[in-house]
Amino acid sequence: QRQLVESGGGSVQAGGSLRLSCKSPRMITSVFNSYYMGWYRQAPGQQRELVAVIANGGNTIYGDSAKGRFTISRENAKKMVYLQMNNLKDEDTGTYYCSMGDGTGKVDYWGEGTLVTVSS
């Protein structure tokens, strides 16, 4: 039974957009609200890297590659977190993982990932 379920990945042309979604169907809402929600990505042959993190109150942190192009958001009542990705580049290709953590970099739960492929 997975705590996090991602969706929204796919293939897109460079310059296009995708919106990733992540839900936490089994988590009690009050517990979900206590977590920092994030998105990480892993390109083939690369280490997993932070894309964006959002706190319950809405404060956000973005990795350098995401700044100005990606937007993370959350809907606590629906136990959902989103990643809007605009102006996608070839180097954004990879598997995107949803995460639940404590805000220090420690991740308690990972989703199984959703693949994003950007081609020019």
Side-chain angles (χ1 to χ4, degrees):
Q1 297 288 345
R2 291 185 287 163
Q3 292 286 359
L4 297 171
V5 180
E6 302 103 331
S7 61
S11 297
V12 64
Q13 295 269 337
S17 299
L18 279 176
R19 188 192 196 209
L20 306 183
S21 299
C22 172
K23 63 181 178 180
S24 182
R26 300 178 63 235
M27 190 73 67
I28 297 171
T29 302
S30 59
V31 176
F32 176 87
N33 293 348
S34 70
Y35 276 101
Y36 285 71
M37 299 300 299
W39 289 95
Y40 289 73
R41 73 181 179 200
Q42 188 166 18
Q46 305 276 335
Q47 289 190 331
R48 195 171 295 189
E49 64 173 352
L50 172 71
V51 177
V53 172
I54 185 167
N56 178 34
N59 290 338
T60 56
I61 296 173
Y62 291 93
D64 288 341
S65 62
K67 291 177 182 175
R69 299 187 300 127
F70 295 1
T71 303
I72 188 171
S73 60
R74 63 191 291 168
E75 285 189 88
N76 288 337
K78 295 182 179 180
K79 297 179 291 180
M80 297 284 295
V81 63
Y82 308 97
L83 184 69
Q84 177 66 43
M85 304 187 293
N86 298 328
N87 190 21
L88 283 159
K89 304 176 181 180
D90 291 0
E91 52 264 39
D92 294 319
T93 293
T95 300
Y96 285 69
Y97 297 91
C98 182
S99 70
M100 300 182 79
D102 64 1
T104 68
K106 177 178 175 293
V107 174
D108 289 336
Y109 300 102
W110 292 100
E112 291 195 350
T114 185
L115 180 63
V116 171
T117 303
V118 184
S119 58
S120 55

